[in-house]
């Protein structure tokens, strides 16, 4: 399971301490969900876990420093999208 991400749905029955402990053990730092290392807001109507991870990561990389123009923003988005695409294993199981 090395490098595989787990998307946890956060349903009340799946949010027990036992379930989260098992996820922490099986997916060390590699699970997305309520109470996980990559948090996801419960019952978000707009984003799936994967979308939340992707756009959150994209924004954190794009806005590491101020953007001066629209052209610079588009160029930075293109570069960051390529970096995310090339991250080892990030889309291996999608």
């Amino acid at each position: 399971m090395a490098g595989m991400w787990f998307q946890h749905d956060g349903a009340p029955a799946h949010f027990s301490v036992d379930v989260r402990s098992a996820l922490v053990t099986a997916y060390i730092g590699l699970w997305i969900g309520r109470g996980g290392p990559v948090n996801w807001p419960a019952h978000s109507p707009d984003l799936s876990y994967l979308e939340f991870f992707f756009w959150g990561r994209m924004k954190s990389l794009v806005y590491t420093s101020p953007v001066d123009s629209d052209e610079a923003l588009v160029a930075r988005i293109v570069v960051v999208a390529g970096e995310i695409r090339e991250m080892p294993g990030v889309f291996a199981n999608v």
Side-chain angles (χ1 to χ4, degrees), residues 2-62:
M4 186 170 85
W5 283 77
F6 182 83
Q7 297 180 37
H8 189 266
D9 64 7
H14 305 152
F15 192 64
S16 73
V17 172
D18 292 337
V19 170
R20 286 180 284 138
S21 294
L23 290 173
V24 166
T25 302
Y27 300 94
I28 301 168
L30 296 175
W31 64 280
I32 304 165
R34 192 172 59 139
V38 177
N39 201 13
W40 182 80
H43 308 295
S44 172
D46 300 323
L47 300 175
S48 72
Y49 299 117
L50 184 60
E51 291 167 325
F52 184 78
F53 164 76
F54 177 79
W55 291 115
R57 184 70 178 144
M58 170 86 66
K59 284 173 35 179
S60 72
L61 293 172
V62 167

